[in-house]
Amino acid sequence: QVQLVESGGGLVQPGGSLTLSCAASGFTLDYYVVGWFRQAPGKERERVSCISSGGSRTYYADSVKGRFTISGDRGKNTVSLQMNSLKVEDTAVYYCATASAGENYCSAYGFLRRNFGRWGQGTQVTVSS
């Protein structure tokens, strides 16, 4: 079965950390850009971070730069998002998604929701005291 599955969400206090994982089955991530998006209640889904197919290029939204780190474990066919110094405003459902590696989709102008065709079901992250 071809799918993406996110895990690692949960409840954490402000200033805490979580690591999200995106696992692919039925296909290899080697040929795809992998992106993380998030959607808070009542808000549009927004981009968070992405990593290129070879792992050489990453992109971070300004709101998470310096706090989040994306990395790929191609041997395990997973991509992780390490989230540190979490804030209440990071509360959202986090989704991973893939886009073709043939285009520059992990960049400031290419990292757009419409360029990502395969999505996971999402994992809830709640930052609250």
Side-chain angles (χ1 to χ4, degrees):
Q1 186 176 3
V2 175
Q3 62 179 355
L4 292 168
V5 178
E6 303 94 335
S7 61
L11 173 64
V12 63
Q13 293 186 341
S17 299
L18 280 175
T19 300
L20 305 183
S21 180
C22 173
S25 60
F27 70 104
T28 177
L29 292 175
D30 288 350
Y31 307 112
Y32 294 90
V33 170
V34 180
W36 284 96
F37 297 77
R38 67 186 181 185
Q39 187 167 17
K43 294 188 176 181
E44 294 289 321
R45 193 169 298 187
E46 64 176 1
R47 62 188 186 181
V48 176
S49 180
C50 61
I51 187 167
S52 62
S53 59
S56 62
R57 187 169 59 249
T58 58
Y59 173 87
Y60 297 93
D62 287 344
S63 59
V64 306
K65 200 173 294 183
R67 299 187 298 122
F68 290 12
T69 302
I70 192 170
S71 62
D73 187 336
R74 302 297 178 172
K76 294 182 179 179
N77 213 20
T78 62
V79 169
S80 297
L81 185 69
Q82 173 69 41
M83 306 187 297
N84 297 327
S85 302
L86 283 162
K87 304 176 181 181
V88 172
E89 51 264 42
D90 294 318
T91 296
V93 178
Y94 283 71
Y95 301 88
C96 68
T98 59
S100 170
E103 301 292 335
N104 192 14
Y105 290 141
C106 189
S107 64
Y109 67 87
F111 185 24
L112 302 173
R113 181 179 175 180
R114 64 172 181 264
N115 292 331
F116 286 72
R118 181 176 289 134
W119 293 77
Q121 83 290 346
T123 185
Q124 176 71 47
V125 172
T126 302
V127 185
S128 174
S129 56

